[in-house]
Amino acid sequence: MTTKIQRRKGHTTLTPGSEMTIYTASELRTSLEGALVECASLDVNLSEVREIDTAGLQLLMATKRAARAAGKAFCLKGHSEPVLHTFELCGVTGNFDCPTETTR
Amino acid sequence: MNLDAARQTFIVESTELLQEMEDCLLRLETEAGNKDLLDALFRTAHTIKGSAGLFGLDDIVGFTHLVENVLDKLRDGELAYESELAALLLECGDHIGLHLQLAEQNSRPDATMREREARLIDRLQTNLGSNVHAANHVAVSEAGDIVASDGGPGQARSDCWHISLRFGADVLRNGMDPLSFIRYLGTLGEIAHITPIADSLPPLERLDAESCYLGFEIQFRSQATKEKIAGVFEFVREDSIVKILPPKSRLSDYVELIRSLPEQTPRLGELLVASGAISQSELEEGMRLQTQSAGLDPDNLSRKPLGEILVNQKIVPQELVDVALSTQKQAHEKKTTDSQYLRIHAGRLDDLISLVGELVIAGASTSLLAQRARDPELKESASTVSRLVEEIRDSALQLRMVQIGETFNRFQRVVRDVSKELGKDIQLVVSGADAELDKTVVARIGDPLMHLVRNAMDHGIEPAAVREARGKPAKGTLRLNAYHDSGSIVIEVADDGGGLNREKILGKAIERGIVAAGQTLSDQEVYRLIFEAGFSTAESVTSLSGRGVGMDVVRRNIESLRGTTEIESEEGKGTTIRIRLPLTLAIIDGFLMAVGKAAYVVPLDMVLECIEISPAQREATRERDYIDLRGEVLPFLRLREQFEIQGPAGRRENIVVVQYAGQKAGLMVDQLMGEFQTVIKPLGKIFGNLRGISGSTILSSGEVALILDVPSLIQQAVSAEARQFSPGEAMRPASPQHADEPQPQPSSLNA
């Protein structure tokens, strides 16, 4: 599964593939950086993610910071079960200040 | 990373820390209870212990830990800082210093040192009192294992383990996911709170997606042992920071933790939450109040600091806020000092200086060629270059300059210890500590100064009873002073003691056959006798001085630095020994002159004026060695005779008037060649006994010029003149070194 990017009037939704780990992190970083440059607001849809590790987590944190620095809206959406577990484990749920909604 | 280099840095830094520790201990004697000093003191010991642990120097860790415990009690006010404890701690500092020396040589402590250490440990444990048991326990394990039983003041309220994790950058690449460790940790107990620390996370565009940047602060509720918890992180232990504090740890352990974490300017709130001393909600409450109080009082623009509010609300003990704040401040200060100082290997600096020396020589040769070429543009460019070279030379030499204050401050300890030993009450007054001089000179002046200081305290300053009888304050004063004077630095060691006893010194000198009976000597000459080998007038030999070794070594050391000594003394009032040293040993501004084909250089700072000798004067001076300089008698030396140069005298002759330490003399030469930047090259060992020459240099033409030793030439000229006018015999040579001299010139003490 690869990353999907949808653009609509400056609003971009990026949907990472099933894996957000060290194996995909480098590629995903490039996508995120590119998406952020082009859009006015960015959503990251986490519904497809089956596996996330520290590399994926810190990538999301860095993207959030970059969005805030550029004055762009950034939101995480559709947290999958594994993502929710990981967020809870690391105590980062409160760090992404948008509603934690699940696909279910 | 080169471990040896790191170890070297550790030793240098720890030595500096020990010095700081000593300074603090000494200052505490006058500023009892100064909290900053106590904190600084504790920190020095703690840092030494911590870094020693990194290098596996268990001896240092074990011993320093005990010292640290005592310092901790001192800081908490459980122990009083008395002179006995002060002495013990100073000794402990010395002992750690010894350990460091051993570590530097990669050797192990011997039996005597072990014995000494055992005695020190005994005394330390007596001071730890009822906690002897705890101390023993600590000596075998590590700090932080101490689990106190109740949550009194000075203890955190939290019943959780506190775990601080900072993962190494390569953890992910090595196939380990930090999250899996945390997940596993969860199986040992309950993760009560976890805070991700992403301070080192770089901006997205510079993020290396495969490096790990995260850390965690975890509050962990569990019955597991420390070993078991530490075991979770076994695989990442090597390249990560893993700190584990047991529940209800002392606040001071949290303090250590906060200090040991890498974050530069950690937010106060984060620190407090991370310490587990307050919860997130307590922090939020504090935040809300901070905003509120600012809102209620719009005139008051300065918001109350968060820390203060938390204390007022009794949410967090003041102590912990202080610590968090001081960490923030330190992080800030550290940044500023980091940018101000750069640690450089001394060898590199020496290389630079010697290159600059070569540059000066090459530059001078270029200027000479430009002069000869008679090309105005080339001349101008050459003069710009030589001006720049001069500036480079000055700033390069400036790099080696250090303030003498640090050397002076070392004597606080010496004076303290020696006065205790002698049972005299002596204070040290330091002035001119900001005078600068070359690092090599500083390094070599320490020992001679030490001798002079000890000597002044032992022989100079009288016992209190005698002082009172003489109407002086019972407390003796020793002064160390430094100032710059015409290209030299002058260091004074002055005491307000009994002064030198002229008759006694003279009597002793005659008894020892150094001076012939009936000889007339000036006060200066008599005083200088104390610099003779094996000369002591002290009635009793003490462990400190009086054996007569030392003062001649002092003189020799100072002479080897091209310096001189001078004594001023008044009976009953005190003695001042003045050491005059060149500021630098490498490059000087010189004055170049020639006799026949030979070139000579004298330091420009010592040249007063140049006089052309008229034919009439020449006639008049043929038979005598002095001239009338504006009504003043000026003795002079003919360099031609001095250095036995063949060939007839030049058509015109000049006298260069030089001055040193208040005495003047003339040097008769053929030709004056002007200023010259002189790179001093030492003479070979074989020329070590030559009098009147202190070194050599290379001229722009590639020829060698000799650098004249002005002080000794002046002495020669002045004493030759004195001999002409005094009817008595020339006195015995002042030092054995002079007596061995093959030179034909009779030498004697200066007048």
Side-chain angles (χ1 to χ4, degrees), chain A residues 29 33 53-54 58 65 90, chain B residues 177 179 198 204-205 211 213:
Chain A
R29 192 203 67 83
E33 192 187 352
D53 70 356
T54 313
Q58 66 187 17
R65 280 193 196 173
C90 307
Chain B
D177 180 8
L179 297 186
L204 185 59
E205 64 274 16
S211 288
Y213 300 100

Side-chain angles (χ1 to χ4, degrees), chain B residues 677-694:
Chain B
Q677 281 192 47
T678 312
V679 181
I680 300 178
K681 307 257 173 193
L683 286 172
K685 254 201 177 133
I686 192 166
F687 301 118
N689 282 324
L690 276 186
R691 282 199 77 198
I693 291 175
S694 61

Side-chain angles (χ1 to χ4, degrees), chain B residues 128-146:
Chain B
L128 288 170
S130 55
N131 272 18
V132 172
H133 175 72
N136 279 336
H137 163 71
V138 164
V140 284
S141 66
E142 237 308 295
D145 276 336
I146 318 157

Side-chain angles (χ1 to χ4, degrees), chain B residues 150-437:
Chain B
D150 60 338
Q155 267 176 6
R157 269 175 286 179
S158 159
D159 61 344
C160 292
W161 292 81
H162 185 83
I163 306 173
S164 297
L165 302 169
R166 298 291 182 277
F167 292 103
D170 289 332
V171 167
L172 288 168
R173 267 188 288 262
N174 293 344
M176 289 174 287
D177 180 8
L179 297 186
S180 59
F181 296 115
I182 295 168
R183 227 169 260 137
Y184 179 61
L185 182 69
T187 64
L188 294 182
E190 178 202 344
I191 295 176
H193 194 272
I194 176 165
T195 319
I197 306 290
D199 289 33
S200 60
L201 193 65
L204 185 59
E205 64 274 16
R206 278 194 277 121
L207 183 90
D208 174 358
E210 289 169 7
S211 288
C212 181
Y213 300 100
L214 293 190
F216 293 95
E217 295 291 331
I218 302 170
Q219 286 285 104
F220 184 56
R221 202 170 283 126
S222 169
Q223 298 301 317
T225 63
K226 185 173 176 180
E227 283 70 31
K228 188 132 192 205
I229 296 175
V232 173
F233 303 100
E234 182 63 32
F235 293 111
V236 286
R237 199 174 47 112
E238 294 227 323
D239 44 4
S240 307
I241 301 175
V242 179
K243 306 253 177 208
I244 303 169
L245 284 186
K248 292 194 200 302
S249 275
R250 290 176 311 163
L251 286 182
S252 56
D253 289 335
Y254 283 104
V255 172
E256 287 178 34
L257 176 75
I258 291 176
R259 287 199 172 119
S260 66
L261 292 177
E263 277 74 40
Q264 283 278 305
T265 42
R267 260 188 330 121
L268 170 61
E270 255 175 75
L271 279 174
L272 294 178
V273 176
S275 310
I278 53 168
S279 68
Q280 186 69 37
S281 65
E282 280 169 323
L283 174 72
E284 275 157 13
E285 175 74 5
M287 289 278 221
R288 196 178 57 75
L289 283 169
Q290 186 175 32
T291 331
Q292 214 172 53
S293 72
L296 283 175
D297 186 5
D299 296 333
N300 182 7
L301 286 176
S302 62
R303 290 169 163 211
K304 266 190 170 181
L306 173 60
E308 199 177 311
I309 291 169
L310 288 174
V311 175
N312 288 347
Q313 297 286 306
K314 300 203 170 25
I315 291 172
V316 65
Q318 176 70 42
E319 191 187 344
L320 204 57
V321 174
D322 285 348
V323 166
L325 280 174
S326 80
T327 307
Q328 283 186 327
K329 213 168 128 203
Q330 269 169 25
H332 184 70
E333 280 171 2
K334 191 162 176 277
K335 253 188 202 158
T336 47
T337 49
D338 274 355
S339 57
Q340 275 171 350
Y341 291 103
L342 198 60
R343 203 183 278 277
I344 304 179
H345 197 277
R348 288 194 187 175
L349 207 55
D350 290 342
D351 288 349
L352 175 68
I353 304 263
S354 76
L355 271 180
V356 170
E358 298 299 325
L359 183 63
V360 167
I361 294 173
S365 124
T366 309
S367 310
L368 194 76
L369 288 175
Q371 289 281 346
R372 284 192 197 148
R374 296 183 192 282
D375 177 346
E377 277 175 31
L378 180 60
K379 239 174 162 176
E380 184 165 340
S381 127
S383 86
T384 314
V385 170
S386 63
R387 184 174 52 80
L388 288 172
V389 166
E390 217 167 291
E391 274 170 29
I392 289 178
R393 175 200 70 171
D394 289 346
S395 26
L397 288 179
Q398 196 64 43
L399 291 178
R400 297 189 54 92
M401 291 296 192
V402 289
Q403 298 194 342
I404 197 165
E406 215 172 291
T407 314
F408 277 2
N409 281 337
R410 277 195 357 225
F411 287 100
Q412 294 286 3
R413 168 80 187 276
V414 175
V415 169
R416 178 190 174 283
D417 286 359
V418 173
S419 56
K420 285 246 160 81
E421 200 172 319
L422 291 169
K424 294 177 184 175
D425 190 6
I426 300 171
Q427 59 170 344
L428 176 68
V429 180
V430 168
S431 51
D434 53 354
E436 289 187 328
L437 71 167

